């Protein structure tokens, strides 16, 4: 059985034929058939990569969601071994009632474990925990024509490093062993602070980050002049007592894809002004559930459909600490002047914990992420200007979110790409890798 699959941004539009894997033995069988007929394939999790890194060059992918089982759990020491297609939401459903939490979670709980490793995702606590890959102890990697290889820091360490953040190109991750962190509650003690300009974000981050597990900021990307960079700063910690329950599944969903984007300059201005004013000027504290804190967008299933049939692109960059303030100010100025922007514009500080992965995205500095409805002006006008600012600031873009980065920028930003290429499984190739490694 197969069905058409897409990336989360639906851009580029490249429907994928998914060859569903329910058992680990299916992976080798399906991969063998595809490679014999088409030449190459690619593992595909739950389709949460935004651009073309999850799209096979041949449009024939191994759909891994059927591998969604727990293999083993140690509830004393907080170790779980799970199949690669299980989502973070499915992991939490089992671990949270027992008082264990994943040490790193991105902005959606619907990413698979394999996808989290392949993209070495990060969360609101990179300054304390680093990336997801930093907490992976071992995984099973199936390479074409070879028995499953066990990879860890001691076993096949070269493949271990290349696979974490390796975009699914070194082999198919079939299972992984992960270390969890203990928690006493799934609820979060949250503090919210409104700030009036970008400089205040840096002051709040310097003051508050070290004292809290989680830290993130929303930015009004359309604000200009003295208001440029205004936003809402949010920090949080797991409550010391309370219920231990996973996020409640959402009952809201976008039922269909409209022919046009519902995100435009008018709706953005109304939302951004209203969201900023909805938060009081004074500092507030409250306790909220894990879903609104970690996964605000997961409350609306298929929210990506609001961008219409042309889809959208996320622009996520990270700028090193020394250049971050000036570069982010310039990025926000160019974005505001363009009149294009995003409902959810996010600033996060990345810490100094080094990932074990060769191509991990974060570096010590500040990350900015915005979603743009796709249109021709993005790649012809706006993105080249943003890319130049990121380049001048010594920053780089996030491959898991990218659909436009030039090969030259990628190879300069990720100089260890040739090490990954040397370890790439020849049976695996993505549209992203083909695009950015062509010299």
């Amino acid at each position: 059985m197969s069905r058409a699959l897409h990336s989360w941004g639906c851009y580029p539009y490249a429907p994928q034929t998914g060859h569903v894997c329910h058992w680990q033995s299916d992976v080798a069988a399906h991969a063998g058939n595809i490679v014999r007929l088409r030449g190459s394939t690619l593992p595909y999790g739950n389709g949460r990569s935004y651009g073309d890194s999850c799209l096979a060059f041949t449009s024939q992918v191994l759909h891994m969601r059927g591998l969604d089982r727990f293999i083993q759990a140690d509830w004393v020491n907080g170790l779980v071994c799970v199949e690669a297609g299980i989502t973070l939401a499915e992991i939490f459903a089992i671990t949270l009632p027992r008082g264990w939490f994943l040490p790193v979670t991105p902005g959606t709980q619907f990413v698979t474990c394999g996808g989290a490793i392949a993209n070495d995702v990060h969360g609101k606590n990179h300054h304390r925990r680093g990336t997801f890959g930093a907490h992976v102890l071992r995984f099973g990697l199936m390479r074409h024509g070879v028995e499953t290889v066990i990879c860890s820091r001691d076993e096949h360490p070269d493949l271990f490093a290349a696979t974490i953040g390796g975009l699914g190109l070194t082999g198919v991750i079939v299972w992984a062993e992960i270390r969890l962190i203990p928690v006493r509650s799934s609820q979060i003690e949250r503090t919210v602070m409104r700030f009036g300009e970008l400089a205040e974000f840096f002051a709040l981050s310097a003051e508050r980050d070290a004292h809290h597990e989680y830290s993130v900021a929303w930015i009004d990307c359309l604000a200009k002049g003295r208001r440029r960079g205004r936003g809402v700063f949010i920090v949080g910690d797991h409550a010391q007592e309370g219920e231990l329950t996973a996020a409640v599944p959402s009952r809201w969903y976008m039922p269909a894809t409209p022919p046009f984007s519902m995100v435009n300059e008018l709706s953005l201005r109304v939302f951004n002004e209203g969201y900023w004013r909805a938060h009081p000027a004074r500092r507030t504290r409250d306790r909220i559930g894990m879903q609104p804190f970690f996964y605000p967008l997961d409350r609306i299933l298929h929210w990506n459909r609001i961008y219409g049939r042309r889809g959208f692109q996320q622009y996520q960059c990270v700028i090193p600490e020394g250049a971050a303030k000036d570069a982010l100010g310039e990025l926000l100025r160019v974005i505001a002047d363009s009149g294009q922007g995003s409902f959810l514009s996010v600033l996060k500080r990345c810490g100094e914990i080094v990932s074990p992965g060769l191509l991990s995205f974060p570096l010590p500095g500040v990350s900015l992420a915005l979603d743009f409805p796709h249109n021709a002006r993005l790649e012809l006008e706006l993105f080249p200007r943003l890319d130049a600012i990121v380049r001048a600031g010594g920053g780089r873009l996030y491959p898991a979110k990218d659909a436009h980065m030039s090969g030259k920028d990628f190879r300069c930003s990720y100089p260890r790409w040739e090490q990954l290429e040397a370890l790439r499984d020849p049976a695996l190739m993505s549209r992203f890798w083909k695009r950015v490694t062509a010299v």
Side-chain angles (χ1 to χ4, degrees):
M1 187 178 77
S2 63
R3 63 185 177 91
L5 303 167
H6 302 272
S7 61
W8 190 243
C10 293
Y11 179 84
Y13 183 74
Q16 304 284 294
T17 299
H19 299 262
V20 180
C21 301
H22 293 288
W23 304 98
Q24 295 184 27
S25 58
D26 293 343
V27 176
H30 288 324
N33 289 335
I34 299 170
V35 172
R36 185 172 61 255
L37 295 173
R38 303 297 186 97
S40 65
T41 182
L42 191 72
Y44 179 101
N46 205 25
R48 257 52 183 187
S49 293
Y50 283 59
D52 55 359
S53 65
C54 65
L55 304 178
F57 184 65
T58 59
S59 300
Q60 304 290 317
V61 295
L62 300 165
H63 195 192
M64 302 293 291
R65 269 294 284 134
L67 295 178
D68 60 355
R69 292 165 284 259
F70 268 65
I71 298 173
Q72 197 169 11
D74 176 350
W75 300 123
V76 175
N77 297 301
L79 300 174
V80 294
C81 185
V82 296
E83 291 185 323
I86 196 169
T87 64
L88 304 194
E90 291 165 340
I91 293 176
F92 283 131
I94 302 297
T95 64
L96 258 175
R98 293 169 171 84
W100 294 100
F101 198 79
L102 284 165
V104 173
T105 178
T108 174
Q109 60 182 328
F110 298 131
V111 64
T112 63
C113 177
I117 297 172
N119 294 287
D120 200 15
V121 298
H122 60 281
K124 298 176 177 66
N125 59 350
H126 187 274
H127 59 291
R128 282 199 172 182
R129 306 280 181 180
T131 61
F132 192 90
H135 306 276
V136 174
L137 302 181
R138 301 189 306 159
F139 51 77
L141 191 70
M142 189 174 291
R143 290 167 64 85
H144 185 59
V146 181
E147 292 290 326
T148 299
V149 177
I150 296 177
C151 301
S152 69
R153 288 167 176 77
D154 301 317
E155 304 163 279
H156 302 285
D158 52 346
L159 278 174
F160 183 77
T163 302
I164 293 175
L167 304 171
L169 294 163
T170 58
V172 181
I173 301 168
V174 288
W175 58 264
E177 186 175 287
I178 305 162
R179 184 180 296 281
L180 308 175
I181 58 172
V183 293
R184 295 180 178 176
S185 171
S186 54
Q187 293 195 308
I188 301 295
E189 297 280 4
R190 179 181 66 170
T191 303
V192 179
M193 295 150 271
R194 202 171 78 177
F195 56 91
E197 58 176 333
L198 189 61
E200 291 183 36
F201 161 78
F202 282 91
L204 285 169
S205 179
E207 172 196 344
R208 307 301 301 180
D209 284 355
H211 301 288
H212 297 281
E213 177 73 22
Y214 303 106
S215 174
V216 67
W218 170 86
I219 288 279
D220 178 357
C221 62
L222 296 182
K224 295 183 178 180
R226 295 180 60 184
R227 299 183 305 167
R228 184 191 310 152
R230 71 177 182 177
V232 180
F233 190 79
I234 303 166
V235 293
D237 299 280
H238 289 279
Q240 289 303 302
E241 59 181 15
E243 61 183 27
L244 283 165
T245 56
V248 177
S250 177
R251 291 178 295 178
W252 301 92
Y253 70 100
M254 187 72 184
T257 302
F260 54 86
S261 173
M262 298 169 66
V263 180
N264 53 51
E265 186 171 354
L266 176 60
S267 62
L268 284 173
R269 288 196 183 283
V270 171
F271 174 86
N272 282 14
E273 186 69 28
Y275 188 84
W276 191 77
R277 292 188 180 281
H279 292 82
R282 60 181 173 81
R283 186 172 298 190
T284 60
R285 296 192 64 182
D286 61 4
R287 175 187 284 209
I288 64 170
M290 61 181 287
Q291 179 158 309
F293 185 81
F294 292 110
Y295 317 116
L297 290 176
D298 283 353
R299 286 184 288 185
I300 304 175
L301 301 177
H302 304 297
W303 62 262
N304 55 337
R305 292 174 176 168
I306 67 172
Y307 287 94
R309 293 174 184 167
R310 299 174 73 178
F312 72 103
Q313 294 194 56
Q314 182 167 108
Y315 192 95
Q316 183 166 4
C317 62
V318 60
I319 309 292
E321 194 67 49
K325 189 178 296 183
D326 290 342
L328 289 169
E330 185 64 5
L331 287 169
L332 291 173
R333 184 189 68 77
V334 171
I335 292 167
D337 288 347
S338 78
Q340 303 183 75
S342 174
F343 287 130
L344 201 65
S345 308
V346 176
L347 280 179
K348 282 186 290 195
R349 184 173 293 280
C350 297
E352 296 183 352
I353 298 175
V354 178
S355 167
L358 291 180
L359 261 62
S360 186
F361 162 70
L363 50 76
V366 180
S367 164
L368 172 67
L370 308 97
D371 297 337
F372 296 93
H374 177 69
N375 63 76
R377 291 170 52 208
L378 285 183
E379 296 188 6
L380 291 175
E381 300 172 11
L382 181 59
F383 283 178
R385 297 181 67 188
L386 302 184
D387 291 347
I389 298 167
V390 173
R391 196 182 303 127
R396 61 192 182 200
L397 304 183
Y398 192 4
K401 307 291 182 66
D402 182 66
H404 83 279
M405 184 178 5
S406 73
K408 183 178 180 181
D409 279 350
F410 171 76
R411 296 189 295 273
C412 290
S413 301
Y414 296 91
R416 301 176 78 183
W417 72 272
E418 289 180 300
Q419 290 177 253
L420 191 148
E421 172 61 17
L423 292 167
R424 182 174 63 84
D425 186 334
L428 304 176
M429 176 58 75
S430 66
R431 292 172 66 99
F432 172 85
W433 197 251
K434 198 76 172 179
R435 172 166 60 87
V436 299
T437 60
V439 180

